[in-house]
Amino acid sequence: MESLVQELGLLPVIHHRVQALSQGYRTRLALAFPLMSPARVLLLDEIFNGLDVVAIELIKNVFQREAMNGRTIIVSSHQLEVLDKMADTFLVIHNQTIDAIAPTDIRGKYGSLQALLTQ
């Protein structure tokens, strides 16, 4: 647990009350709980809200380690530019149907992840 606290950059606020934390630190703290569970598959929704570039990089590193240890992390997000830097598989659901899978399919169909956001 201590290593996860360090990996998520929570050491500077470890003794603060949750109410005193910024949105970014609250998000990191909320993410620590499912990561501490023994579940092999995690489903996380809009976890990048309120996070800065440094926090996103910390989370990316944790996710990569978890994936290497055999854990599957499924993230629902509208921030595709963030996912593009950390996900190895994408599933785009558009109008209640699966529209594209994996970054290459998305880029082939839309030209870029950014173009997908403007659809």
Side-chain angles (χ1 to χ4, degrees):
M1 181 173 116
E2 289 178 34
S3 65
L4 184 60
V5 168
Q6 186 171 1
E7 285 179 290
L8 291 174
L10 291 168
L11 283 177
V13 297
I14 196 76
H15 297 291
H16 290 72
R17 297 176 56 104
V18 173
Q19 297 86 342
L21 298 179
S22 69
Q23 176 62 41
Y25 277 115
R26 287 182 189 195
T27 300
R28 293 187 214 186
L29 180 61
L31 182 58
F33 288 99
L35 287 167
M36 286 188 289
S37 81
R40 301 307 304 157
V41 177
L42 299 179
L43 178 58
L44 306 171
D45 184 36
E46 295 294 346
I47 61 166
F48 304 117
N49 292 339
L51 295 179
D52 60 17
V53 178
V54 172
I56 289 170
E57 187 65 25
L58 293 172
I59 290 170
K60 177 182 137 187
N61 294 337
V62 170
F63 282 5
Q64 287 174 337
R65 177 183 46 80
E66 292 295 312
M68 291 179 71
N69 290 331
R71 186 177 252 182
T72 299
I73 301 174
I74 301 168
V75 177
S76 168
S77 179
H78 291 90
Q79 297 181 14
L80 298 180
E81 67 284 353
V82 173
L83 289 176
D84 191 33
K85 296 178 179 120
M86 67 177 65
D88 57 6
T89 304
F90 286 80
L91 176 71
V92 176
I93 300 173
H94 184 69
N95 291 332
Q96 301 178 359
T97 61
I98 297 173
D99 199 40
I101 300 173
T104 54
D105 288 351
I106 293 167
R107 288 185 182 97
K109 185 168 186 170
Y110 298 99
S112 70
L113 291 174
Q114 190 61 36
L116 175 62
L117 292 174
T118 62
Q119 292 287 319

PDB file of all heavy atoms in Angstrom, residues 24-50:
ATOM      1  N   GLY A  24      -7.585  17.047  -8.025  1.00  0.00           N
ATOM      2  CA  GLY A  24      -6.599  16.108  -8.546  1.00  0.00           C
ATOM      3  C   GLY A  24      -6.152  15.091  -7.509  1.00  0.00           C
ATOM      4  O   GLY A  24      -6.059  13.895  -7.789  1.00  0.00           O
ATOM      5  N   TYR A  25      -5.869  15.555  -6.300  1.00  0.00           N
ATOM      6  CA  TYR A  25      -5.472  14.628  -5.238  1.00  0.00           C
ATOM      7  C   TYR A  25      -6.634  13.729  -4.819  1.00  0.00           C
ATOM      8  O   TYR A  25      -6.440  12.557  -4.519  1.00  0.00           O
ATOM      9  CB  TYR A  25      -4.914  15.379  -4.030  1.00  0.00           C
ATOM     10  CG  TYR A  25      -3.457  15.752  -4.182  1.00  0.00           C
ATOM     11  CD1 TYR A  25      -3.069  17.088  -4.244  1.00  0.00           C
ATOM     12  CD2 TYR A  25      -2.475  14.774  -4.266  1.00  0.00           C
ATOM     13  CE1 TYR A  25      -1.736  17.439  -4.381  1.00  0.00           C
ATOM     14  CE2 TYR A  25      -1.136  15.115  -4.406  1.00  0.00           C
ATOM     15  CZ  TYR A  25      -0.774  16.444  -4.463  1.00  0.00           C
ATOM     16  OH  TYR A  25       0.548  16.786  -4.604  1.00  0.00           O
ATOM     17  N   ARG A  26      -7.831  14.266  -4.811  1.00  0.00           N
ATOM     18  CA  ARG A  26      -8.993  13.429  -4.496  1.00  0.00           C
ATOM     19  C   ARG A  26      -9.164  12.315  -5.527  1.00  0.00           C
ATOM     20  O   ARG A  26      -9.483  11.178  -5.186  1.00  0.00           O
ATOM     21  CB  ARG A  26     -10.270  14.267  -4.444  1.00  0.00           C
ATOM     22  CG  ARG A  26     -10.374  15.138  -3.235  1.00  0.00           C
ATOM     23  CD  ARG A  26     -11.678  15.897  -3.234  1.00  0.00           C
ATOM     24  NE  ARG A  26     -11.677  16.888  -2.190  1.00  0.00           N
ATOM     25  CZ  ARG A  26     -12.754  17.505  -1.760  1.00  0.00           C
ATOM     26  NH1 ARG A  26     -13.926  17.242  -2.304  1.00  0.00           N
ATOM     27  NH2 ARG A  26     -12.678  18.401  -0.818  1.00  0.00           N
ATOM     28  N   THR A  27      -8.945  12.655  -6.794  1.00  0.00           N
ATOM     29  CA  THR A  27      -9.049  11.656  -7.856  1.00  0.00           C
ATOM     30  C   THR A  27      -7.986  10.577  -7.684  1.00  0.00           C
ATOM     31  O   THR A  27      -8.272   9.383  -7.795  1.00  0.00           O
ATOM     32  CB  THR A  27      -8.921  12.323  -9.234  1.00  0.00           C
ATOM     33  OG1 THR A  27      -9.980  13.276  -9.378  1.00  0.00           O
ATOM     34  CG2 THR A  27      -9.002  11.308 -10.354  1.00  0.00           C
ATOM     35  N   ARG A  28      -6.742  10.988  -7.402  1.00  0.00           N
ATOM     36  CA  ARG A  28      -5.671  10.008  -7.165  1.00  0.00           C
ATOM     37  C   ARG A  28      -6.009   9.099  -5.993  1.00  0.00           C
ATOM     38  O   ARG A  28      -5.804   7.885  -6.049  1.00  0.00           O
ATOM     39  CB  ARG A  28      -4.352  10.707  -6.866  1.00  0.00           C
ATOM     40  CG  ARG A  28      -3.778  11.462  -8.013  1.00  0.00           C
ATOM     41  CD  ARG A  28      -2.413  11.947  -7.621  1.00  0.00           C
ATOM     42  NE  ARG A  28      -2.088  13.229  -8.218  1.00  0.00           N
ATOM     43  CZ  ARG A  28      -0.901  13.797  -8.121  1.00  0.00           C
ATOM     44  NH1 ARG A  28       0.072  13.212  -7.460  1.00  0.00           N
ATOM     45  NH2 ARG A  28      -0.664  14.954  -8.684  1.00  0.00           N
ATOM     46  N   LEU A  29      -6.516   9.696  -4.913  1.00  0.00           N
ATOM     47  CA  LEU A  29      -6.884   8.917  -3.725  1.00  0.00           C
ATOM     48  C   LEU A  29      -8.005   7.933  -4.052  1.00  0.00           C
ATOM     49  O   LEU A  29      -7.950   6.766  -3.669  1.00  0.00           O
ATOM     50  CB  LEU A  29      -7.309   9.856  -2.599  1.00  0.00           C
ATOM     51  CG  LEU A  29      -7.724   9.210  -1.283  1.00  0.00           C
ATOM     52  CD1 LEU A  29      -6.560   8.421  -0.684  1.00  0.00           C
ATOM     53  CD2 LEU A  29      -8.218  10.267  -0.306  1.00  0.00           C
ATOM     54  N   ALA A  30      -9.014   8.396  -4.784  1.00  0.00           N
ATOM     55  CA  ALA A  30     -10.123   7.520  -5.169  1.00  0.00           C
ATOM     56  C   ALA A  30      -9.636   6.371  -6.049  1.00  0.00           C
ATOM     57  O   ALA A  30     -10.152   5.251  -5.964  1.00  0.00           O
ATOM     58  CB  ALA A  30     -11.205   8.316  -5.892  1.00  0.00           C
ATOM     59  N   LEU A  31      -8.643   6.622  -6.870  1.00  0.00           N
ATOM     60  CA  LEU A  31      -8.086   5.588  -7.724  1.00  0.00           C
ATOM     61  C   LEU A  31      -7.287   4.555  -6.936  1.00  0.00           C
ATOM     62  O   LEU A  31      -7.214   3.380  -7.317  1.00  0.00           O
ATOM     63  CB  LEU A  31      -7.206   6.233  -8.798  1.00  0.00           C
ATOM     64  CG  LEU A  31      -6.577   5.328  -9.825  1.00  0.00           C
ATOM     65  CD1 LEU A  31      -7.652   4.537 -10.575  1.00  0.00           C
ATOM     66  CD2 LEU A  31      -5.744   6.140 -10.785  1.00  0.00           C
ATOM     67  N   ALA A  32      -6.708   4.961  -5.830  1.00  0.00           N
ATOM     68  CA  ALA A  32      -5.900   4.036  -5.014  1.00  0.00           C
ATOM     69  C   ALA A  32      -6.732   2.877  -4.477  1.00  0.00           C
ATOM     70  O   ALA A  32      -6.243   1.744  -4.402  1.00  0.00           O
ATOM     71  CB  ALA A  32      -5.246   4.795  -3.861  1.00  0.00           C
ATOM     72  N   PHE A  33      -7.982   3.125  -4.140  1.00  0.00           N
ATOM     73  CA  PHE A  33      -8.810   2.077  -3.538  1.00  0.00           C
ATOM     74  C   PHE A  33      -9.036   0.881  -4.456  1.00  0.00           C
ATOM     75  O   PHE A  33      -8.783  -0.260  -4.062  1.00  0.00           O
ATOM     76  CB  PHE A  33     -10.125   2.651  -3.018  1.00  0.00           C
ATOM     77  CG  PHE A  33      -9.935   3.483  -1.784  1.00  0.00           C
ATOM     78  CD1 PHE A  33      -9.883   4.862  -1.873  1.00  0.00           C
ATOM     79  CD2 PHE A  33      -9.780   2.881  -0.549  1.00  0.00           C
ATOM     80  CE1 PHE A  33      -9.675   5.635  -0.738  1.00  0.00           C
ATOM     81  CE2 PHE A  33      -9.579   3.642   0.596  1.00  0.00           C
ATOM     82  CZ  PHE A  33      -9.521   5.027   0.503  1.00  0.00           C
ATOM     83  N   PRO A  34      -9.500   1.072  -5.691  1.00  0.00           N
ATOM     84  CA  PRO A  34      -9.651  -0.108  -6.546  1.00  0.00           C
ATOM     85  C   PRO A  34      -8.308  -0.757  -6.882  1.00  0.00           C
ATOM     86  O   PRO A  34      -8.224  -1.983  -7.036  1.00  0.00           O
ATOM     87  CB  PRO A  34     -10.344   0.412  -7.802  1.00  0.00           C
ATOM     88  CG  PRO A  34     -10.180   1.882  -7.779  1.00  0.00           C
ATOM     89  CD  PRO A  34     -10.029   2.273  -6.341  1.00  0.00           C
ATOM     90  N   LEU A  35      -7.253   0.044  -6.977  1.00  0.00           N
ATOM     91  CA  LEU A  35      -5.943  -0.534  -7.276  1.00  0.00           C
ATOM     92  C   LEU A  35      -5.433  -1.412  -6.137  1.00  0.00           C
ATOM     93  O   LEU A  35      -4.636  -2.319  -6.362  1.00  0.00           O
ATOM     94  CB  LEU A  35      -4.936   0.570  -7.599  1.00  0.00           C
ATOM     95  CG  LEU A  35      -5.112   1.235  -8.956  1.00  0.00           C
ATOM     96  CD1 LEU A  35      -4.278   2.503  -9.050  1.00  0.00           C
ATOM     97  CD2 LEU A  35      -4.760   0.265 -10.077  1.00  0.00           C
ATOM     98  N   MET A  36      -5.884  -1.164  -4.925  1.00  0.00           N
ATOM     99  CA  MET A  36      -5.479  -1.988  -3.782  1.00  0.00           C
ATOM    100  C   MET A  36      -6.263  -3.297  -3.704  1.00  0.00           C
ATOM    101  O   MET A  36      -5.879  -4.204  -2.990  1.00  0.00           O
ATOM    102  CB  MET A  36      -5.644  -1.210  -2.471  1.00  0.00           C
ATOM    103  CG  MET A  36      -4.594  -0.146  -2.280  1.00  0.00           C
ATOM    104  SD  MET A  36      -4.644   0.604  -0.645  1.00  0.00           S
ATOM    105  CE  MET A  36      -6.149   1.560  -0.729  1.00  0.00           C
ATOM    106  N   SER A  37      -7.351  -3.392  -4.433  1.00  0.00           N
ATOM    107  CA  SER A  37      -8.171  -4.602  -4.376  1.00  0.00           C
ATOM    108  C   SER A  37      -7.475  -5.741  -5.119  1.00  0.00           C
ATOM    109  O   SER A  37      -6.636  -5.509  -5.983  1.00  0.00           O
ATOM    110  CB  SER A  37      -9.547  -4.344  -4.985  1.00  0.00           C
ATOM    111  OG  SER A  37      -9.476  -4.428  -6.394  1.00  0.00           O
ATOM    112  N   PRO A  38      -7.843  -6.971  -4.813  1.00  0.00           N
ATOM    113  CA  PRO A  38      -7.247  -8.112  -5.512  1.00  0.00           C
ATOM    114  C   PRO A  38      -7.905  -8.408  -6.864  1.00  0.00           C
ATOM    115  O   PRO A  38      -7.496  -9.349  -7.551  1.00  0.00           O
ATOM    116  CB  PRO A  38      -7.483  -9.274  -4.540  1.00  0.00           C
ATOM    117  CG  PRO A  38      -8.725  -8.888  -3.807  1.00  0.00           C
ATOM    118  CD  PRO A  38      -8.688  -7.385  -3.691  1.00  0.00           C
ATOM    119  N   ALA A  39      -8.885  -7.614  -7.256  1.00  0.00           N
ATOM    120  CA  ALA A  39      -9.602  -7.870  -8.509  1.00  0.00           C
ATOM    121  C   ALA A  39      -8.640  -7.883  -9.691  1.00  0.00           C
ATOM    122  O   ALA A  39      -7.747  -7.044  -9.784  1.00  0.00           O
ATOM    123  CB  ALA A  39     -10.680  -6.802  -8.724  1.00  0.00           C
ATOM    124  N   ARG A  40      -8.828  -8.821 -10.591  1.00  0.00           N
ATOM    125  CA  ARG A  40      -7.976  -8.930 -11.778  1.00  0.00           C
ATOM    126  C   ARG A  40      -8.438  -7.994 -12.894  1.00  0.00           C
ATOM    127  O   ARG A  40      -7.694  -7.695 -13.808  1.00  0.00           O
ATOM    128  CB  ARG A  40      -7.954 -10.378 -12.303  1.00  0.00           C
ATOM    129  CG  ARG A  40      -7.455 -11.404 -11.311  1.00  0.00           C
ATOM    130  CD  ARG A  40      -6.118 -11.101 -10.682  1.00  0.00           C
ATOM    131  NE  ARG A  40      -5.050 -10.907 -11.676  1.00  0.00           N
ATOM    132  CZ  ARG A  40      -3.941 -10.219 -11.435  1.00  0.00           C
ATOM    133  NH1 ARG A  40      -3.732  -9.657 -10.278  1.00  0.00           N
ATOM    134  NH2 ARG A  40      -3.038 -10.094 -12.369  1.00  0.00           N
ATOM    135  N   VAL A  41      -9.687  -7.535 -12.826  1.00  0.00           N
ATOM    136  CA  VAL A  41     -10.228  -6.615 -13.819  1.00  0.00           C
ATOM    137  C   VAL A  41     -10.815  -5.418 -13.082  1.00  0.00           C
ATOM    138  O   VAL A  41     -11.602  -5.588 -12.148  1.00  0.00           O
ATOM    139  CB  VAL A  41     -11.320  -7.288 -14.691  1.00  0.00           C
ATOM    140  CG1 VAL A  41     -11.914  -6.284 -15.671  1.00  0.00           C
ATOM    141  CG2 VAL A  41     -10.768  -8.503 -15.422  1.00  0.00           C
ATOM    142  N   LEU A  42     -10.419  -4.226 -13.505  1.00  0.00           N
ATOM    143  CA  LEU A  42     -10.971  -2.997 -12.929  1.00  0.00           C
ATOM    144  C   LEU A  42     -11.701  -2.234 -14.016  1.00  0.00           C
ATOM    145  O   LEU A  42     -11.228  -2.141 -15.149  1.00  0.00           O
ATOM    146  CB  LEU A  42      -9.854  -2.108 -12.372  1.00  0.00           C
ATOM    147  CG  LEU A  42      -8.993  -2.672 -11.255  1.00  0.00           C
ATOM    148  CD1 LEU A  42      -7.929  -1.658 -10.859  1.00  0.00           C
ATOM    149  CD2 LEU A  42      -9.839  -3.071 -10.065  1.00  0.00           C
ATOM    150  N   LEU A  43     -12.844  -1.689 -13.677  1.00  0.00           N
ATOM    151  CA  LEU A  43     -13.622  -0.845 -14.586  1.00  0.00           C
ATOM    152  C   LEU A  43     -13.683   0.544 -13.963  1.00  0.00           C
ATOM    153  O   LEU A  43     -14.270   0.727 -12.892  1.00  0.00           O
ATOM    154  CB  LEU A  43     -15.022  -1.419 -14.792  1.00  0.00           C
ATOM    155  CG  LEU A  43     -15.962  -0.623 -15.684  1.00  0.00           C
ATOM    156  CD1 LEU A  43     -15.382  -0.435 -17.079  1.00  0.00           C
ATOM    157  CD2 LEU A  43     -17.313  -1.311 -15.768  1.00  0.00           C
ATOM    158  N   LEU A  44     -13.058   1.500 -14.629  1.00  0.00           N
ATOM    159  CA  LEU A  44     -12.929   2.849 -14.089  1.00  0.00           C
ATOM    160  C   LEU A  44     -13.589   3.848 -15.033  1.00  0.00           C
ATOM    161  O   LEU A  44     -13.386   3.795 -16.240  1.00  0.00           O
ATOM    162  CB  LEU A  44     -11.444   3.190 -13.914  1.00  0.00           C
ATOM    163  CG  LEU A  44     -10.632   2.180 -13.092  1.00  0.00           C
ATOM    164  CD1 LEU A  44      -9.152   2.503 -13.174  1.00  0.00           C
ATOM    165  CD2 LEU A  44     -11.109   2.142 -11.658  1.00  0.00           C
ATOM    166  N   ASP A  45     -14.357   4.766 -14.472  1.00  0.00           N
ATOM    167  CA  ASP A  45     -15.113   5.715 -15.279  1.00  0.00           C
ATOM    168  C   ASP A  45     -14.591   7.129 -15.077  1.00  0.00           C
ATOM    169  O   ASP A  45     -14.542   7.624 -13.942  1.00  0.00           O
ATOM    170  CB  ASP A  45     -16.588   5.637 -14.893  1.00  0.00           C
ATOM    171  CG  ASP A  45     -17.469   6.519 -15.753  1.00  0.00           C
ATOM    172  OD1 ASP A  45     -17.201   6.646 -16.959  1.00  0.00           O
ATOM    173  OD2 ASP A  45     -18.440   7.078 -15.211  1.00  0.00           O
ATOM    174  N   GLU A  46     -14.201   7.782 -16.168  1.00  0.00           N
ATOM    175  CA  GLU A  46     -13.789   9.194 -16.184  1.00  0.00           C
ATOM    176  C   GLU A  46     -12.800   9.522 -15.064  1.00  0.00           C
ATOM    177  O   GLU A  46     -12.989  10.447 -14.287  1.00  0.00           O
ATOM    178  CB  GLU A  46     -15.016  10.101 -16.094  1.00  0.00           C
ATOM    179  CG  GLU A  46     -15.942  10.004 -17.276  1.00  0.00           C
ATOM    180  CD  GLU A  46     -15.355  10.499 -18.596  1.00  0.00           C
ATOM    181  OE1 GLU A  46     -14.305  11.166 -18.605  1.00  0.00           O
ATOM    182  OE2 GLU A  46     -15.971  10.210 -19.636  1.00  0.00           O
ATOM    183  N   ILE A  47     -11.727   8.767 -15.001  1.00  0.00           N
ATOM    184  CA  ILE A  47     -10.768   8.925 -13.912  1.00  0.00           C
ATOM    185  C   ILE A  47      -9.785  10.067 -14.109  1.00  0.00           C
ATOM    186  O   ILE A  47      -9.029  10.384 -13.195  1.00  0.00           O
ATOM    187  CB  ILE A  47      -9.979   7.627 -13.679  1.00  0.00           C
ATOM    188  CG1 ILE A  47      -9.202   7.272 -14.936  1.00  0.00           C
ATOM    189  CG2 ILE A  47     -10.881   6.522 -13.220  1.00  0.00           C
ATOM    190  CD1 ILE A  47      -8.154   6.219 -14.696  1.00  0.00           C
ATOM    191  N   PHE A  48      -9.774  10.708 -15.270  1.00  0.00           N
ATOM    192  CA  PHE A  48      -8.784  11.742 -15.534  1.00  0.00           C
ATOM    193  C   PHE A  48      -9.275  13.142 -15.196  1.00  0.00           C
ATOM    194  O   PHE A  48      -8.536  14.113 -15.360  1.00  0.00           O
ATOM    195  CB  PHE A  48      -8.336  11.692 -17.002  1.00  0.00           C
ATOM    196  CG  PHE A  48      -7.801  10.337 -17.384  1.00  0.00           C
ATOM    197  CD1 PHE A  48      -8.438   9.579 -18.342  1.00  0.00           C
ATOM    198  CD2 PHE A  48      -6.681   9.821 -16.770  1.00  0.00           C
ATOM    199  CE1 PHE A  48      -7.949   8.331 -18.697  1.00  0.00           C
ATOM    200  CE2 PHE A  48      -6.181   8.566 -17.102  1.00  0.00           C
ATOM    201  CZ  PHE A  48      -6.825   7.825 -18.071  1.00  0.00           C
ATOM    202  N   ASN A  49     -10.502  13.265 -14.718  1.00  0.00           N
ATOM    203  CA  ASN A  49     -11.046  14.584 -14.394  1.00  0.00           C
ATOM    204  C   ASN A  49     -10.242  15.234 -13.274  1.00  0.00           C
ATOM    205  O   ASN A  49      -9.998  14.635 -12.237  1.00  0.00           O
ATOM    206  CB  ASN A  49     -12.512  14.476 -13.967  1.00  0.00           C
ATOM    207  CG  ASN A  49     -13.404  14.069 -15.113  1.00  0.00           C
ATOM    208  OD1 ASN A  49     -13.049  14.233 -16.277  1.00  0.00           O
ATOM    209  ND2 ASN A  49     -14.559  13.527 -14.796  1.00  0.00           N
ATOM    210  N   GLY A  50      -9.837  16.465 -13.498  1.00  0.00           N
ATOM    211  CA  GLY A  50      -9.126  17.221 -12.476  1.00  0.00           C
ATOM    212  C   GLY A  50      -7.653  16.880 -12.349  1.00  0.00           C
ATOM    213  O   GLY A  50      -6.996  17.359 -11.423  1.00  0.00           O
TER     214      GLY A  50
END
